[in-house]
Amino acid sequence: MYDSTIMWNSFWRSRDRFSLDQLRYLTDQLTKVQVVNEVNKDFVIEALRSIAELMTYGDQHDPSYFEYFMEKQVMGEFVRILKLSKTVSVPLQLLQTVSILVQNLRNEHAIYYLFSNEHINYLITYSFDFQNEELLSYYISFLRAISGKLNKNTVSLLVKIRGDEVVSFPLYVEAIRFAFHEENMVRTAVRAVTLNVYHVGDDSVNRYISSVPHKDYFSNLISFFRKQSIDLNKLVSHTLINPGPDSTSTIIAAIDEIEDNLYYVSDIVSAGIPDVGRLITDSILTVLIFPLLLPSLRIAIDNDIQSGVVTSLYLLCCILRIIKIKDLANTIAAALFYPSEAFTKSFGGFHPEGVLMQNDCSNSNLSLRDVLLAYVTKGDDIQVLGSLSVLATLLKTKELDESMLDGLGILPQRKQHKKLLLQALVGESSGEEELFSSKSSLTRDSTGSDIDVYHDKIKDRYGISCQSSVVGNSPHVNRFQVIDALVNLFCRSNISAVTLWEGGWLLRRLLPYSESEFNSHHLELLKQVSALIQVSYNNCAAALVEEVKGIWTDFLISVLCDEWRKCKRAMESSSPPKEPNCVLLLPHPHYKFSLEDDTPKGSSFAVGERMQELVKVFVLLHQLQLFTLGRALPEQPPIDPTGDLPTNRRAQTSGLDASGPKAGTEISLAVNAVPCRIAFKSGKEHHFCFRAISLGISGWLVLAEELPSQKSHGIVRVTAPLAGCDPRIDDKHSTWLHLRIRSSSLPFLDPAKSNDYGRIKTKSLVDGRWTLAFRDEQSCNSALAMIVEEINILSDEVHRRLKPLLNLETAIDLSSTDLCVTEDSSNRILPKSL
């Protein structure tokens, strides 16, 4: 054996580190190694590492380096060293060295040389000890580095061909062995390798990966996704019953992994390999859609089954939104015309043992489309949102045939009008008749026949058949079933604003947009929609008037303006307001208050959230009313401007400007200031003068310290909001006045006080309290009367400004003159005859 001491002494001998001589020396030393053990392993490792550096340097500066590398067949030496090695550390370094070579060599001829012999394939198929996690990591990185150099020329150097067919492709076969490894980093690297293979575009390689047994990878991939879906459902089910502080973050992590997997499948599809696209379509339908997701779309008394519904709705949205396969999208849509029993009798869903509720929604004769609409009209908040998300996702799926959308009753009115117009222009009589008829919609024959094609595919290819009564309806009937369900949704009082906004977005897509699209039937429809929504709108407006007297009256107008802009933007957007994953992140209606246990009863924070929720609903209903009555939406709600404020004696005598009192500023105490005492800390009492002041739609409680030199003036030391102070004289001490001190801002509008999903962090949910002690009962009553009077002045001003908004007829008149609608806007004006 070569003396390792001589090796090391020679290794460190003075020599240019990046010289060709150094490369010659290292290569020569490696050829002399006859065994690799604990004695010489450090030298071998350092030699391998240094050769990688030298070859990278030579690739950029001197081609003679690689000429020498080829001449001495250094890759063969690497393989020989691997065979001699008795330690783990040398294979680690060898894999890293070859990875560095492959990644950093830019010369195409150098890459061709590396791939042109069997050394790379030998390393790929070598029996490494993959129990060592670090070695596995280096190996997977090695495979990824090789795949990064694949193209139509280089791939031929790594496969074995018999005739015109690939019979061996070690890189691909060895990579997919680790496709479902427990480590996410390994799975991610394997996916990168496979995508690099799929996107080469070599026909013989494509036939190889889609042949037996390699095509099983795609069904195994969907089976792996099915397992993740079941795990997600278990997590959602557990969260519905036992929500905890980490529930949201845990579900988000699961969602991220689910969607990452679907995007990987989408990337595979984008490679454009026809056989692979069909394999994935068949696997998704037979492994996931038919046996698991569609059977789970049912209402049951069991919370576990409720979670199955929610998870299925979310997953359907994800699949349709992410995986762009026309045949897959249309097959899923066509399956929605089948009754649920077509799938439940053959498959079980997430919970095959569950007991169905005996109500309208569980009727086995209902098509799955009807089940979705039943959820909209009768389901809880999450089920409604999930169903709306599915309908909105279908509507936005470009791969879906328009005839399928029309059969479902969700073809956007504008698309429908354009299609009929095109038919009329090319002389198709049915198109011309439908365009100008009172029931403008595609015919049953043109729509139903397209759907029947997919039903035949489902029967012939997947063995599922069932007569669908929905397909027998005209698209006109199906369309108005959807509109009727949405209008009924707006009449429900137990649905969140988030969900109602989703319904509002969908309704906007289904109703006519421009004057050219209207006929007498449309006008009658819009009148009916408006009349039905009017009832809910009136109830909401009455509740909003009550908020004028509420805890957050000073913020009511600003919240209204803010939500108006958000709602307008959401309704006019080309995409729904919420991502489908929102359905898994909303608190379940039965448990939504469990996360608020830390919020004190009657807390102003909870009241503020309810106020915002009410405003969101009011704004949506108001904008829908304007839309159905043919009015454009103004950029701002019709609220009276500030104008000339009515005379407020206290505000005038205080000497304050429009910005209000600030700590450290001077204030007049000549009129209405009442001396008091207050202790912010136990045993430390302060003497102040108290004043209550309103100015416009703002108001303050002020504690000021008298100026020694000028008793009629003082310095503001402490301020608090006037609104929501809830003044109350103590039952036992008639000179004590209790005041609630709420936050000076709405916490859910402050990102620092809310999490990513707008829920207030519980640690900040605390109202303050002041107890003011006055020198006598008369002073205490005087302070109370002053507070009540200023609150009334504040509320009256807020109400005055809101009157134009609360009066719908006035709001309609204002909106008709507020905007000039441009041609490319989503707002359109209805005929003046309306």
Side-chain angles (χ1 to χ4, degrees):
M1 183 182 71
Y2 194 72
D3 192 329
S4 61
T5 304
I6 297 174
M7 278 190 200
W8 275 113
N9 290 338
S10 301
F11 189 87
W12 295 113
R13 188 176 57 192
S14 176
R15 190 184 296 108
D16 185 353
R17 181 182 173 191
F18 291 105
S19 68
L20 185 56
D21 284 343
Q22 180 72 355
L23 178 61
R24 291 193 183 104
Y25 168 75
L26 293 174
T27 305
D28 181 61
Q29 294 302 312
L30 280 182
T31 60
K32 296 176 181 179
V33 173
Q34 299 304 312
V35 65
V36 180
N37 52 31
E38 293 296 324
V39 177
N40 64 352
K41 69 173 184 178
D42 291 338
F43 167 78
V44 173
I45 290 170
E46 186 60 28
L48 292 171
R49 188 193 64 77
S50 298
I51 288 175
E53 288 184 349
L54 284 162
M55 294 307 301
T56 302
Y57 174 82
D59 184 67
Q60 300 173 16
H61 297 90
D62 188 348
S64 62
Y65 281 63
F66 199 80
E67 291 172 4
Y68 179 83
F69 186 88
M70 292 188 293
E71 177 188 343
K72 295 300 181 180
Q73 298 185 17
V74 179
M75 279 295 297
E77 283 300 314
F78 287 171
V79 170
R80 189 181 68 84
I81 291 296
L82 178 63
K83 292 177 180 178
L84 295 174
S85 177
K86 304 299 182 183
T87 65
V88 173
S89 55
V90 171
L92 280 174
Q93 182 58 56
L94 192 144
L95 287 172
Q96 186 182 47
T97 293
V98 178
S99 297
I100 291 172
L101 285 174
V102 173
Q103 285 178 314
N104 292 294
L105 292 180
R106 296 179 296 183
N107 186 295
E108 289 187 10
H109 296 295
I111 295 298
Y112 293 158
Y113 170 77
L114 288 179
F115 288 5
S116 63
N117 52 58
E118 283 298 306
H119 296 317
I120 290 292
N121 276 342
Y122 180 85
L123 293 176
I124 291 173
T125 57
Y126 186 79
S127 297
F128 292 103
D129 179 14
F130 293 126
Q131 296 298 317
N132 185 302
E133 294 182 0
E134 187 179 11
L135 183 59
L136 175 60
S137 176
Y138 276 70
Y139 176 76
I140 295 296
S141 297
F142 164 65
L143 298 184
R144 186 171 187 171
I146 296 170
S147 72
K149 298 294 184 178
L150 289 180
N151 55 45
K152 287 189 176 182
N153 295 320
T154 58
V155 73
S156 62
L157 304 174
L158 295 173
V159 300
K160 289 183 179 179
I161 297 177
R162 187 176 300 143
D164 292 330
E165 298 301 319
V166 173
V167 295
S168 174
F169 191 3
L171 174 66
Y172 181 74
V173 172
E174 295 302 317
I176 61 176
R177 284 178 54 202
F178 302 97
F180 309 111
H181 194 272
E182 60 184 10
E183 286 293 328
N184 185 54
M185 294 289 287
V186 173
R187 296 198 303 270
T188 301
V190 170
R191 291 175 182 182
V193 173
T194 57
L195 291 175
N196 286 334
V197 170
Y198 302 146
H199 284 271
V200 167
D202 184 277
D203 291 339
S204 60
V205 171
N206 290 344
R207 289 194 298 273
Y208 176 81
I209 63 177
S210 54
S211 65
V212 177
H214 313 296
K215 70 176 184 178
D216 291 345
Y217 171 66
F218 302 106
S219 59
N220 292 339
L221 180 63
I222 304 305
S223 296
F224 179 74
F225 183 80
R226 173 192 168 101
K227 179 182 180 301
Q228 287 186 313
S229 300
I230 293 173
D231 290 342
L232 174 65
N233 183 67
K234 290 178 181 177
L235 178 60
V236 172
S237 177
H238 177 77
T239 301
L240 290 178
I241 300 171
N242 299 302
D246 298 326
S247 296
T248 298
S249 60
T250 305
I251 290 178
I252 289 173
I255 287 173
D256 288 343
E257 190 164 357
I258 286 278
E259 297 190 3
D260 283 347
N261 288 333
L262 285 177
Y263 278 113
Y264 169 57
V265 175
S266 176
D267 289 340
I268 295 174
V269 172
S270 70
I273 307 172
D275 289 342
V276 171
R278 286 190 288 271
L279 287 169
I280 288 176
T281 296
D282 287 345
S283 295
I284 290 176
L285 291 171
T286 58
V287 175
L288 195 64
I289 300 294
F290 294 153
L292 190 67
L293 302 189
L294 295 186
S296 298
L297 297 182
R298 50 183 176 167
I299 293 181
I301 57 177
D302 192 307
N303 281 322
D304 284 347
I305 303 179
Q306 293 280 17
S307 70
V309 173
V310 173
T311 307
S312 295
L313 293 170
Y314 160 70
L315 290 171
L316 281 173
C317 289
C318 284
I319 292 168
L320 289 166
R321 183 169 58 93
I322 295 173
I323 302 178
K324 308 296 185 182
I325 302 178
K326 179 181 176 66
D327 193 44
L328 174 64
N330 283 281
T331 303
I332 291 174
L336 296 178
F337 293 101
Y338 282 33
S340 58
E341 67 173 5
F343 304 98
T344 54
K345 67 183 180 183
S346 302
F347 310 106
F350 281 114
H351 301 282
E353 73 284 356
V355 181
L356 296 177
M357 289 181 68
Q358 298 302 312
N359 61 20
D360 293 341
C361 300
S362 64
N363 188 333
S364 61
N365 293 322
L366 285 177
S367 71
L368 291 172
R369 170 190 172 276
D370 291 336
V371 170
L372 292 178
L373 296 182
Y375 282 137
V376 173
T377 57
K378 298 182 174 67
D380 62 37
D381 196 37
I382 295 178
Q383 292 164 344
V384 174
L385 181 59
S387 298
L388 292 174
S389 294
V390 170
L391 294 173
T393 301
L394 287 165
L395 185 150
K396 290 289 295 178
T397 302
K398 294 179 180 179
E399 293 72 28
L400 214 55
D401 292 340
E402 288 190 357
S403 57
M404 195 71 71
L405 287 174
D406 208 31
L408 290 168
I410 56 173
L411 179 64
Q413 182 69 39
R414 181 172 291 173
K415 283 188 176 181
Q416 186 184 76
H417 183 79
K418 287 180 179 178
K419 187 166 186 176
L420 292 173
L421 181 61
L422 180 61
Q423 290 175 350
L425 290 173
V426 299
E428 295 183 17
S429 58
S430 63
E432 186 173 359
E433 292 168 2
E434 289 292 315
L435 181 63
F436 298 105
S437 73
S438 64
K439 296 182 179 181
S440 178
S441 184
L442 301 182
T443 63
R444 152 70 186 113
D445 290 340
S446 64
T447 299
S449 60
D450 292 337
I451 299 173
D452 289 341
V453 170
Y454 283 97
H455 282 173
D456 290 341
K457 285 185 179 180
I458 293 174
K459 178 181 178 182
D460 297 339
R461 188 181 298 178
Y462 308 110
I464 300 172
S465 62
C466 194
Q467 183 63 36
S468 172
S469 59
V470 179
V471 180
N473 296 336
S474 73
H476 170 79
V477 172
N478 293 338
R479 182 183 192 80
F480 286 99
Q481 287 176 346
V482 177
I483 293 177
D484 182 64
L486 291 173
V487 172
N488 276 285
L489 171 65
F490 299 128
C491 298
R492 297 180 62 183
S493 59
N494 60 339
I495 302 299
S496 70
V498 167
T499 301
L500 292 176
W501 280 29
E502 197 83 6
W505 181 90
L506 186 58
L507 183 64
R508 283 289 304 265
R509 311 278 89 68
L510 301 182
L511 295 177
Y513 271 71
S514 67
E515 187 171 332
S516 62
E517 297 172 6
F518 279 84
N519 54 41
S520 59
H521 184 75
H522 291 141
L523 296 176
E524 184 61 32
L525 166 67
L526 290 174
K527 288 181 181 179
Q528 294 174 9
V529 172
S530 178
L532 288 169
I533 295 177
Q534 181 71 44
V535 176
S536 294
Y537 173 80
N538 290 339
N539 292 336
C540 205
L544 194 65
V545 171
E546 291 300 313
E547 288 296 328
V548 170
K549 308 169 188 175
I551 295 176
W552 296 94
T553 183
D554 50 341
F555 275 85
L556 186 56
I557 289 178
S558 63
V559 171
L560 265 166
C561 292
D562 186 50
E563 295 300 335
W564 182 278
R565 290 190 297 271
K566 290 179 181 177
C567 187
K568 183 178 186 294
R569 187 164 57 247
M571 294 305 105
E572 294 175 352
S573 171
S574 61
S575 300
K578 289 293 181 181
E579 291 290 323
N581 60 23
C582 184
V583 73
L584 299 181
L585 299 173
L586 287 179
H588 191 276
H590 298 155
Y591 305 103
K592 65 182 179 180
F593 297 112
S594 62
L595 295 178
E596 299 174 4
D597 291 340
D598 294 333
T599 305
K601 187 176 180 181
S603 164
S604 66
F605 299 92
V607 175
E609 285 187 311
R610 288 195 293 270
M611 183 267 282
Q612 184 199 33
E613 182 80 0
L614 172 64
V615 168
K616 281 178 173 287
V617 176
F618 172 82
V619 164
L620 172 67
L621 295 177
H622 192 102
Q623 292 190 7
L624 286 177
Q625 285 283 64
L626 293 179
F627 176 69
T628 55
L629 294 175
R631 301 296 188 266
L633 296 181
E635 293 297 327
Q636 297 287 347
I639 293 174
D640 265 355
T642 303
D644 295 328
L645 295 175
T647 302
N648 183 333
R649 183 169 54 87
R650 292 190 184 92
Q652 283 184 331
T653 58
S654 67
L656 297 173
D657 58 22
S659 64
K662 301 279 191 307
T665 60
E666 188 173 317
I667 187 174
S668 173
L669 303 177
V671 181
N672 298 122
V674 185
C676 67
R677 305 186 314 277
I678 184 172
F680 294 113
K681 293 182 180 179
S682 177
K684 191 172 183 180
E685 196 171 68
H686 298 269
H687 291 261
F688 292 120
C689 287
F690 171 77
R691 293 197 64 171
I693 303 170
S694 66
L695 190 62
I697 58 172
S698 299
W700 304 270
L701 304 172
V702 179
L703 297 177
E705 189 175 11
E706 282 185 338
L707 289 173
S709 59
Q710 193 177 5
K711 297 292 187 181
S712 61
H713 287 74
I715 299 297
V716 175
R717 296 304 183 192
V718 186
T719 65
L722 173 66
C725 66
D726 189 25
R728 179 178 60 83
I729 294 177
D730 190 86
D731 294 335
K732 297 180 179 180
H733 303 85
S734 58
T735 59
W736 290 7
L737 181 63
H738 298 292
L739 301 171
R740 173 172 54 193
I741 307 302
R742 42 142 262 232
S743 171
S744 58
S745 64
L746 280 165
F748 53 78
L749 298 180
D750 183 357
K753 296 181 180 178
S754 302
N755 61 25
D756 292 339
Y757 294 87
R759 298 173 191 156
I760 299 174
K761 296 175 182 177
T762 55
K763 289 185 179 179
S764 64
L765 302 178
V766 179
D767 284 329
R769 294 286 171 181
W770 284 1
T771 298
L772 303 180
F774 296 91
R775 59 190 173 196
D776 52 43
E777 186 175 334
Q778 181 180 357
S779 298
C780 188
N781 287 329
S782 176
L784 174 62
M786 176 169 49
I787 293 172
V788 171
E789 183 181 351
E790 292 298 316
I791 288 176
N792 288 335
I793 293 172
L794 170 60
S795 299
D796 290 345
E797 176 59 16
V798 172
H799 192 217
R800 180 190 71 80
R801 297 194 194 180
L802 289 179
K803 278 183 179 179
L805 179 67
L806 296 170
N807 185 333
L808 185 60
E809 293 182 2
T810 303
I812 291 172
D813 292 338
L814 290 172
S815 71
S816 65
T817 60
D818 187 83
L819 283 180
C820 177
V821 183
T822 58
E823 182 61 28
D824 61 349
S825 171
S826 60
N827 296 303
R828 292 294 184 268
I829 307 293
L830 297 186
K832 292 182 180 179
S833 59
L834 181 61

